[in-house]
Amino acid sequence: MDGASRVIPDKEVVPMAKIIILTGDAAETLEVFYPLQRLQEAGYEVHIAAPEKKKLQFVVHDFVDGFDTYTEKLGHMWDADIAFRDVDPSDYVAAVVPGGRAPEYIRNDEDAKRIVRHFMEAGAPVAALCHGPLLLAAAGTLKGRTSSAYPALAVDVELGGGVFENGGAVVDGNLVTGRAWPDNGVWMAAFLEVLERQGAGLVAQGASR
């Protein structure tokens, strides 16, 4: 959704506020596409950032009775809009970190950590789901914060200095977290409330109305 803009009646066309999704190969399909499309529906311009600007292969994680962890199969493919190294976080009003296996390795990317630190230190809205809080922990931004995550990652939240809460839409100030894709609806609903509360409006900051 590059170059998107919003027409205000009897006013000039102004650029829409932008939100960045930080992800990569092996991200969970539903955890990328639901926030992407829900935030677009709400009127935001949404960009997907990854280690490289390329076509990404997502995966599908499912839950099977009697199986001790989730299962995985290939999901949809989608193009990243921008590489982490090229992201200027000040261009965006908020960030989203979906789960899947992508956070396991993007947490080692210095630019991914730089981007998420920008939002967390500024108190700007951040949403993370499932394995997403692994990136927040690696960036040193979970210290003293309450966060949900995939329940098996409770120890990772705690080792990162955070307090784990097993919930679908855990809100701690600017931070909204959940456990996995079954929480998508309540997770994004809470995130949209934080965006509204913090004034991360639909019109790009600094634009003339």
Side-chain angles (χ1 to χ4, degrees):
M1 197 169 176
D2 276 339
S5 61
R6 158 168 291 210
V7 177
I8 299 175
D10 301 322
K11 298 288 183 179
E12 64 181 295
V13 175
V14 295
M16 294 161 57
K18 296 188 289 188
I19 294 176
I20 192 86
I21 294 178
L22 306 175
T23 192
D25 285 323
E28 213 292 326
T29 292
L30 287 173
E31 296 176 14
V32 175
F33 282 110
Y34 187 80
L36 170 67
Q37 295 170 340
R38 181 65 188 89
L39 292 167
Q40 288 174 337
E41 180 185 36
Y44 291 91
E45 180 178 350
V46 186
H47 293 170
I48 292 179
E52 298 293 337
K53 184 180 178 181
K54 66 165 192 168
K55 188 173 291 292
L56 302 173
Q57 174 66 67
F58 300 143
V59 299
V60 175
H61 286 164
D62 208 351
F63 307 97
V64 177
D65 288 343
F67 201 69
D68 288 336
T69 187
Y70 52 83
T71 62
E72 180 177 291
K73 59 186 176 183
L74 292 179
H76 294 297
M77 301 182 75
W78 198 258
D79 288 326
D81 298 298
I82 190 170
F84 291 146
R85 61 179 169 273
D86 297 323
V87 172
D88 180 352
S90 66
D91 289 340
Y92 300 88
V93 299
V96 177
V97 188
R101 286 189 291 111
E104 295 176 3
Y105 65 89
I106 69 171
R107 61 178 167 173
N108 297 309
D109 187 296
E110 292 302 321
D111 284 303
K113 290 185 282 189
R114 167 183 62 85
I115 296 163
V116 81
R117 283 192 197 106
H118 166 88
F119 292 100
M120 292 294 287
E121 291 173 0
V126 174
L129 188 68
C130 194
H131 286 63
L134 290 176
L135 175 57
L136 305 183
T141 61
L142 278 188
K143 296 175 182 176
R145 306 300 299 269
T146 298
S147 175
S148 186
Y150 186 64
L153 303 184
V155 64
D156 297 276
V157 171
E158 292 164 355
L159 287 172
V163 176
F164 176 74
E165 182 175 326
N166 188 353
V170 175
V171 180
D172 181 4
N174 66 308
L175 179 63
V176 182
T177 52
R179 295 164 296 198
W181 60 260
D183 294 330
N184 272 344
V186 293
W187 173 59
M188 272 293 106
F191 187 52
L192 286 165
E193 290 178 2
V194 170
L195 286 166
E196 182 177 3
R197 185 173 70 242
Q198 296 209 5
L202 301 181
V203 178
Q205 294 176 352
S208 174
R209 294 195 58 154

